[in-house]
Amino acid sequence: MRILIEGGRVIDPANTVDDVLDVLIEDGRIAAVGPSRSARDAAPPDRVLDARGKVVCPGFVDLHVHLREPGREDKETIATGTRAAARGGFTTVCCMPNTSPVNDNQSVTEFILDRARREGSVNVFPVGAITKGQQGAELAEIGELVRAGCVAISDDGKPVMNAEIMRRALEYAGMFGVPVIQHAEDLHLTGTGVMHEGLVSTELGMRGIPAASEAVIVARDLLLTELTGGRYHVAHITTAEALRLVRDGKAKGLKVTCEVCPHHFALTDEAVRTFSTNAKMSPPLRSARHVEAIKAGLRDGTIDAIATDHAPHTIQEKEQEFDYAPNGIIGLETAFGLTITVLVEGEVLSLSQAIARLTCEPARVFNLPKGTLAVGADADVTIVDPTREWVVDVKRFASKSRNSPFHGWKMRGEVLATIVGGKVVWELEG
Amino acid sequence: MAVGLKRKDLLGIQDLTVEEVGLILDTATSMKEIASRDIKKVPTLRGKTIINLFYEPSTRTRTSFEIAGKWMSADVVNISTAGSSVVKGESLKDTGLTLQAMHPDIVVIRHPVAGAPKLLAGYLRASVINAGDGAHEHPTQALLDLFTIRERRGTLQGLKAAIVGDIVHSRVARSNIFAMQKVGMQVRVCGPATMLPRYLDRLGVEVYKRIEPAIADVDVIMMLRVQLERQGAGLFPTLREYSKLFGLNLDRLKAAKQDVLIMHPGPINRGVEIAPEVADGPYSLILNQVENGLAIRMALLYLLAGGPAGANS
């Protein structure tokens, strides 16, 4: 199957490409990337995609999604979650292990991979648990998890609170070359907090989670990373203090990386004033000071990747009193729009830098052979229009869930088509 | 002529304009007289249905809403969730929709979670009154507190008040901070560092960690109850130490103005945050607050549901 993507502006930061070029796909791989018309002359393609005036880039890589299967298929399945990914321009997702049962053994890993092969629209790489049952007490069979296909380990949803366990996880995972991802918060400092501790929580009388809750764990873990020489990745970083620590850690040569979620650069804790539970997530939306630090961190490269932490929840669970609603929002289908609208239009990142944070940088963090349009690479390609305006309508989402605070938002930057392994898995109508 | 509040719900002081606050206080002034009649009954809310939906225990607030409704001839129903389908796990949404199907005019809700009254108000055509939501707001308390101060002092503008106690967990403190600032009073808060929320100074409130300077030359001292449960949470070591450092007794009162007004939303912990002699003394307005609570609540029920045009249109 030959597909020619013709006349688009190809932005491929992995190979420092930013030019109007044709991309030829053959048998699921990138066959050629060259000046217009050169590829077409060789042999007639089965399909031509007219990308003139559009941007062609590697398919996006999301290091952090919750596909909810096995266990909570009412919120999302591998089938619906990967369709949502495709709609959002993501061709690779890494799914977190806080399923039911937890992905702390090869059987669950194999189940996920099997489901993904049969029903998934995009590449799925599972993240295995650090500890058995994510209970934080004993290491999971990390060797088996990696052998079965896990690309990283995490107890996400929860932090590893025990420093000794964290130390051993960094050492042990080091044997298999996979990073340890930490959901960084100190549960004691968090307590029963439901939002960021700041002026807004003081006015609303809601229990706050101080920025220190994230920072103290990152500080501790960086010392452990230094001790062990392990690879450490901070999930969904949100605070100026944690960013400062990561910046210093990188300067010292520690193997530390981090990701940020679009909602943490698009919203502040002011969003909680309406008491909408779509403003409730963990870690919480922070104050403007931290959002500024996040933007600075994206600009100076302290933040490696943009990841969604796509967290589907049923309508009835989110329709509860704020304290009782589960944490999290969906994000696969708004990530690109938010990245363009807030970061590129907001002059925090250039278009090319933004695409890097969605493609080659996340791929590098987990050592995935993705996020590139090099000849021979898997034909995972996304075609976008970064100038097109659209209005978010959650009712049209492919995700099973609807918990997004961005419903009704005017966005700039729309995904037009998503190709995975040389197959067009999604196209925008018209 | 019906003069109603041009809003469906009373969710918090923060939403109210200073004119609305004035309207409520003025209306309460005329309502208060009903309490001194032999036959405490007016037909103002005849045929109206009021449901008190209390997810938390209450003596003052609930009884006062119930009596206020009954004196005004409304049909009043009390639901205490412990004896309701809430124990079977029924959601707030379904509880609201179920009640709406019985056509109430007003639902008064007290709930442990901030924002719950707002959530409920979205499901009801009826007016929703917040009788306390978590540590967020308790607007009727702040209104009756302002009414009590105004009754004694004639005016509110320029007065100084000190609120002492567990500020971080107190909806009474929050609503009073908002209400007092709205009417031009100067507000101080005082408590142990662990019980003072951060950033209060950004709201224009003066923050004190010692009671003596906090109460010096204020017109009103409002004491808040300290809960034993907070001891377990590491916020202070013992009630004994709290009382020694922050309790209001006659000795400490010597540092305050001669005619200072002593207030407390109740229930009081005699001997902990307030000495019995102070609670029962001549400058204590604690029981006046309770009496005025009735007037304020009658005023609110009237302004939201009463009069020929009602206020819900």
Side-chain angles (χ1 to χ4, degrees), chain B residues 35-310:
Chain B
S36 50
R37 296 186 193 178
D38 212 26
I39 298 183
K40 301 177 194 38
K41 205 67 151 176
V42 292
T44 322
L45 294 182
R46 197 163 76 99
K48 301 289 183 184
T49 301
I50 299 171
I51 300 183
N52 289 326
L53 179 62
F54 276 60
Y55 281 72
E56 281 182 326
S58 168
T59 300
R60 267 150 292 275
T61 308
R62 200 169 98 166
T63 308
S64 133
F65 267 112
E66 185 177 350
I67 292 179
K70 286 178 167 163
W71 281 0
M72 297 176 79
S73 304
D75 294 312
V76 180
V77 175
N78 291 319
I79 302 178
S80 140
T81 53
S84 78
S85 288
V86 170
V87 308
K88 300 182 200 171
E90 188 165 27
S91 68
L92 181 62
K93 174 181 182 178
D94 286 319
T95 301
L97 294 175
T98 301
L99 294 180
Q100 180 58 52
M102 298 190 226
H103 309 286
D105 297 280
I106 298 181
V107 175
V108 178
I109 176 172
R110 169 172 285 190
H111 194 290
V113 177
K118 180 167 185 183
L119 183 63
L120 182 71
Y123 296 123
L124 295 182
R125 281 191 303 279
S127 291
V128 171
I129 298 179
N130 179 6
D133 63 330
H136 178 220
E137 286 235 40
H138 189 358
T140 60
Q141 180 70 42
L143 289 164
L144 72 88
D145 289 338
L146 286 187
F147 183 84
T148 306
I149 299 167
R150 192 173 87 162
E151 198 179 39
R152 271 304 163 98
R153 286 274 181 272
T155 178
L156 291 168
Q157 171 92 28
L159 294 182
K160 281 201 208 100
I163 306 175
V164 183
D166 183 358
I167 308 292
V168 74
H169 295 103
S170 173
R171 51 189 171 218
V172 172
R174 262 173 202 83
S175 284
N176 268 299
I177 289 170
F178 299 142
M180 289 175 176
Q181 290 192 318
K182 216 179 273 284
V183 299
M185 290 172 66
Q186 270 181 64
V187 185
R188 300 177 181 179
V189 296
C190 172
T194 47
M195 287 173 151
L196 295 170
R198 294 160 70 197
Y199 308 105
L200 271 179
D201 50 309
R202 296 227 208 127
L203 296 179
V205 173
E206 290 167 39
V207 180
Y208 291 78
K209 295 181 182 117
R210 287 181 53 238
I211 190 173
E212 291 84 357
I215 62 175
D217 61 61
V218 295
D219 302 286
V220 179
I221 301 173
M222 184 176 293
M223 302 304 294
L224 300 176
R225 185 175 72 99
V226 163
Q227 294 169 271
L228 191 58
E229 307 88 87
R230 309 301 178 200
Q231 179 182 308
L235 298 179
F236 65 87
T238 54
L239 286 178
R240 187 180 90 125
E241 175 139 310
Y242 180 85
S243 188
K244 278 190 173 179
L245 292 174
F246 294 96
L248 188 64
N249 49 44
L250 286 176
D251 217 44
R252 287 214 157 107
L253 265 184
K254 294 194 188 119
K257 267 183 174 168
Q258 270 277 54
D259 57 350
V260 69
L261 304 177
I262 313 288
M263 298 173 71
H264 191 306
I268 62 180
N269 282 335
R270 288 171 173 271
V272 179
E273 72 269 0
I274 188 166
E277 315 80 70
V278 175
D280 301 331
Y283 294 108
S284 163
L285 295 180
I286 295 174
L287 297 174
N288 303 71
Q289 286 171 273
V290 176
E291 189 182 356
N292 291 333
L294 265 173
I296 283 286
R297 287 163 185 136
M298 280 194 280
L300 278 168
L301 295 177
Y302 166 69
L303 289 170
L304 288 172

Side-chain angles (χ1 to χ4, degrees), chain A residues 70 95-99 101-113 124-135 138-156 169 172-173 175-181 368:
Chain A
C95 59
M96 285 299 180
N98 59 334
T99 45
V102 167
N103 184 11
D104 64 0
N105 66 82
Q106 71 194 80
S107 323
V108 180
T109 301
E110 283 167 8
F111 168 84
I112 292 170
L113 287 169
V124 176
F125 291 103
V127 174
I130 297 173
T131 62
K132 290 179 184 149
Q134 294 189 313
Q135 292 302 297
E138 292 177 37
L139 294 180
E141 289 185 309
I142 295 166
E144 284 296 293
L145 286 168
V146 173
R147 218 163 53 90
C150 288
V151 297
I153 53 170
S154 182
D155 274 0
D156 183 65
Y172 199 80
M175 298 194 294
F176 310 102
V178 296
V180 178
I181 309 169
L368 303 173

Side-chain angles (χ1 to χ4, degrees), chain A residues 9 25 31 40 69 89 104 144 155 172-173 180-181 198 224 226 238 278 318 333 336 357 428:
Chain A
R9 175 183 169 194
I25 294 171
R40 196 207 259 275
E69 192 173 11
D104 64 0
E144 284 296 293
D155 274 0
Y172 199 80
V180 178
I181 309 169
L224 296 175
E226 193 174 11
T238 64
N278 287 330
K318 279 299 218 179
E333 296 170 85
F336 181 68
R357 298 286 188 283
L428 186 65

